[in-house]
Amino acid sequence: MSDESVDAGIRRIAISQLETGLSELRDETLSQHQRVRQARKRCKKMRGLVRLVRPVFPGFETENAAFRDAARTLSPLRDASAVLESVDALEHHFSAQLKKAALAPLRQALEAQREGLDEAEIEERLSDLRLVFREALDRVPDWSLNANGADAFTPGARKTYKRARKAMQKARKSRIAEDFHEWRKPMKYHWYQIRLMKKVWPPVMSGYGEQAEQLCSDLGEHHDLAVLRATAKTLLGASSDTTELVEGLAIGRQHELEKTCIKRGKKLLAEPPDDMARRWASWWDSARQPVP
């Protein structure tokens, strides 16, 4: 494992993410939808990165707000495509029960809605995001942390993990869609942080990360189905046969996902936050010690 300090590593990763994000935003081989998706991912990864060192990073509030606000400007554009993907997923999952083209009225309405988006406005928002990334690149060399070694990242990792654990417990109790969505947010940051810490013990962290990634994916599908249900009512009306069909299918799939997510989450978030932080710290220290 490299002897690179935590603050040097954080700066290196930030620069890599921002430069890759700028390259993706300029990539003419990517569709507008793909550039929106990738830009949002870069924003979330940057927020996961700064959250890892949040308690010891004086610039946290500035950087977190910059990427949070930038991602929000793209949310409606992402949702316009996500709901179409949700229709595809529903049709695939219930292929044995659905008649061919049963969801066609909704698909047509969603496609018309996406085609009605102002492409010039989207390009303007993407242009604004390029500026956000470039300005952040200028700030990164001045980033510094108020701690070293494991003390630089374990408090932030613990905080993210604790929030994910608390959010899971709330969603498990309420079974409300919004609570599952709120669980996904810290869980996704925790997953990003697992990836950042992978080198402390690759075989273990890789497997743990794969399970966390799947949990985030399932929680994302759960949220997208909630958005799809609301969108169907808006576009087709609550009493539409297609809306009622989508409502039944989506609720059924959400219930399946809830059981899967809670089962996986109970394993991933089983230990108390303090124990998790101590484990990561001990692995970090062990990985940096020379082999006798």
Side-chain angles (χ1 to χ4, degrees), residues 147-161:
N148 298 308
D151 290 340
F153 65 83
T154 49
R158 179 190 178 280
K159 190 178 189 73
T160 299
Y161 176 89

Side-chain angles (χ1 to χ4, degrees), residues 6-18:
V6 176
D7 59 351
I10 292 294
R11 289 193 296 269
R12 174 181 54 78
I13 294 168
I15 290 171
S16 175
Q17 286 293 325
L18 291 167

Side-chain angles (χ1 to χ4, degrees), residues 172-276:
R172 180 184 176 189
K173 182 177 180 180
S174 73
R175 298 300 178 101
I176 297 172
E178 184 59 30
D179 288 340
F180 279 89
H181 181 46
E182 290 302 313
W183 175 18
R184 179 175 178 256
K185 296 176 184 177
M187 192 65 222
K188 198 149 193 175
Y189 294 135
H190 181 51
W191 168 47
Y192 289 150
Q193 292 168 5
I194 293 166
R195 294 176 63 185
L196 291 170
M197 300 300 299
K198 180 179 176 180
K199 289 185 178 180
V200 301
W201 195 355
V204 173
M205 294 298 268
S206 293
Y208 186 75
E210 288 172 3
Q211 291 300 310
E213 180 179 14
Q214 185 58 58
L215 174 55
C216 291
S217 177
D218 289 343
L219 288 170
E221 182 180 350
H222 188 281
H223 173 64
D224 289 342
L225 287 169
V227 175
L228 178 64
R229 290 168 57 191
T231 304
K233 291 175 183 176
T234 299
L235 295 179
L236 303 179
S239 60
S240 161
D241 290 342
T242 303
T243 299
E244 292 180 357
L245 175 59
V246 168
E247 184 77 1
L249 295 174
I251 289 175
R253 177 59 178 151
Q254 283 180 304
H255 287 167
E256 292 175 1
L257 288 166
E258 287 163 13
K259 293 177 182 178
T260 300
C261 288
I262 290 170
K263 183 177 180 180
R264 182 173 277 113
K266 285 170 64 179
K267 294 178 180 179
L268 286 168
L269 306 171
E271 64 185 330
D274 287 343
D275 292 350
M276 169 266 167

